[in-house]
Amino acid sequence: MQRFAGPVTAITTMEDGVPRGLMATAVTSLSAEPPSLVVCINKSASAHDAILRQGFLGVSVLPDTLMAFASHFARAKGADRFEGALWCFQETGAPLLAGASVAFDCRIADTHDGYSHTIVVAVIHDILLPNDNADRCLLWHRKGFVKVSPQETEVAATSSL
């Protein structure tokens, strides 16, 4: 699975006034009607139960310019993860990263057992594009953070499948 690249996302919620969160790469779009995402959350993650209890979550897609913050968020524990970044809040109250490429404010519509993970179906209530300069998302590949080079982006955009 380490060869399966995925976008780095901060999955967040707020419980009793305290932000809770984790990094995840198992996130994908699900449907345009209603706008929704699938988010797979490891059951052993410290924020897993809080996210399910609250019934809402934020999904912030990190740009490649926030690699240092991604490392901090992944290593830190509890509310300390949220230090060093600006966060904003929309309808649900989930923290959304102000420097994200795109951020989604979601409510949990359904959950399913996914062995070591809980598969969350999340309906999007708001979409934020807070960082106009964050065109490329940060990826997780081979157990580390990687950036997509501009040249690779150009080639991919001009190639046909």
Side-chain angles (χ1 to χ4, degrees):
M1 295 306 288
Q2 67 175 305
R3 294 180 184 214
F4 193 70
V8 176
T9 63
I11 309 301
T12 58
T13 197
M14 186 71 76
E15 185 173 56
D16 298 327
V18 178
R20 312 269 185 200
L22 59 106
M23 291 297 235
T25 57
V27 177
T28 190
S29 62
L30 175 62
S31 174
E33 274 304 318
S36 51
L37 302 171
V38 170
V39 180
C40 300
I41 303 172
N42 193 313
K43 292 176 183 175
S44 68
S46 61
H48 175 273
D49 294 347
I51 291 168
L52 296 186
R53 279 192 302 267
Q54 295 309 302
F56 62 87
L57 57 102
V59 177
S60 299
V61 179
L62 275 66
D64 63 2
T65 56
L66 291 183
M67 189 179 294
F69 173 74
S71 294
H72 164 76
F73 196 90
R75 281 190 323 269
K77 301 292 182 203
D80 291 343
R81 288 185 164 151
F82 293 82
E83 292 179 6
L86 219 61
W87 299 88
C88 56
F89 304 88
Q90 296 302 114
E91 180 184 322
T92 68
L96 301 172
L97 185 62
S101 294
V102 62
F104 303 95
D105 191 34
C106 305
R107 292 201 182 276
I108 296 175
D110 206 354
T111 61
H112 304 278
D113 181 51
Y115 308 109
S116 62
H117 288 62
T118 297
I119 302 165
V120 174
V121 176
V123 174
I124 300 167
H125 285 271
D126 203 358
I127 300 173
L128 300 179
L129 299 169
N131 189 349
D132 291 336
N133 297 318
D135 292 334
R136 294 183 305 271
C137 74
L138 184 62
L139 298 176
W140 180 260
H141 184 249
R142 291 188 177 258
K143 299 182 181 181
F145 297 116
V146 296
K147 297 179 180 184
V148 177
S149 77
Q151 187 175 33
E152 290 172 6
T153 303
E154 269 182 41
V155 171
T158 59
S159 297
S160 62
L161 296 178

